[in-house]
Amino acid sequence: MKKRIFSLNLAVCLTASLLAVTAGAAGTAPYSDVTDSEMAADVECLRLLGVLDGYADGSFRPNATLTRAQFCKMAVYAMNGESELGLYRTVTVFPDVKPSHWASSYINMAARKGIISGYPDGSFHPERTVTIGQAVTILLRLLEYKDENVGGVWPDSYMAVGASIGLTDGIAGSGNAPLTRGQAAKLFLNLLRA
């Protein structure tokens, strides 16, 4: 089932990439601050899938960092889970993510599906910046990699597995570095290809 969803998403992304390249050749950019044609194609693909979007002012802000809550929302959309969100609206998995938090249903769903985990003290810290290692870990879990199978020292072990399957292609930085919106776009596109 997941392979079918990813195949469909990849087909949509390839179409979007062609549209973005065509638009770039015509001199129009989908976002005022995205001039790189490859990034424009990545971003357009994810916009069409509902995973990532730009801002009302026409910018994308590729160098802005993402929070853990924002990345959870993106992961839920990438796994096509938005239809189940209502089931997780009143659940409290983490004490620092109350049902009134804007991303509670995304965070709770991702936790219950086993793609995210909190800190050792049981908290999630939704407003902290997500790191590249955390993002790679979440996406590998979407691909059904299990912690016990990855082994090693976190985040290095997850980064190594991500590199071996092409998930981190084009991503510069260590596993502890903050994840930017541009890097997230590349990661999600790599996820569809992995």
Side-chain angles (χ1 to χ4, degrees):
M1 179 66 168
K2 285 188 181 191
K3 286 184 182 182
R4 244 189 325 200
I5 291 170
F6 285 134
S7 296
L8 175 63
N9 288 343
L10 185 56
V12 170
C13 282
L14 291 174
T15 303
S17 297
L18 290 174
L19 293 173
V21 169
T22 304
T28 60
Y31 298 104
S32 60
D33 57 349
V34 177
T35 56
D36 177 75
S37 62
E38 185 178 342
M39 180 179 286
D42 294 351
V43 171
E44 182 62 12
C45 171
L46 294 173
R47 186 193 67 77
L48 290 173
L49 293 172
V51 173
L52 191 60
D53 206 353
Y55 291 89
D57 66 359
S59 68
F60 178 70
R61 302 177 194 164
N63 296 321
T65 58
L66 290 165
T67 66
R68 290 167 53 85
Q70 291 168 329
F71 195 80
C72 275
K73 179 181 178 184
M74 294 165 61
V76 166
Y77 276 96
M79 64 191 245
N80 215 19
E82 60 273 13
S83 63
E84 296 179 46
L85 285 171
L87 301 172
Y88 300 95
R89 205 162 264 124
T90 59
V91 175
T92 301
V93 175
F94 301 105
D96 60 337
V97 182
K98 302 293 184 208
S100 59
H101 188 279
W102 73 267
S104 65
S105 54
Y106 301 104
I107 294 166
N108 295 330
M109 180 179 180
R112 293 288 168 110
K113 299 277 185 180
I115 63 167
I116 65 161
S117 57
Y119 287 89
D121 67 357
S123 62
F124 183 71
H125 298 287
E127 302 311 319
R128 282 190 183 169
T129 301
V130 69
T131 66
I132 294 172
Q134 291 167 345
V136 167
T137 300
I138 290 168
L139 296 183
L140 285 173
R141 288 176 181 162
L142 275 177
L143 293 173
E144 300 182 352
Y145 282 84
K146 305 287 183 208
D147 293 346
E148 58 270 11
N149 299 330
V150 173
V153 176
W154 186 89
D156 297 338
S157 54
Y158 273 90
M159 294 295 290
V161 172
S164 73
I165 65 168
L167 183 61
T168 58
D169 288 355
I171 305 296
S174 75
N176 294 315
L179 181 73
T180 66
R181 288 172 52 84
Q183 289 172 319
K186 177 57 84 179
L187 275 178
F188 277 102
L189 196 64
N190 289 348
L191 172 72
L192 296 174
R193 294 178 181 146

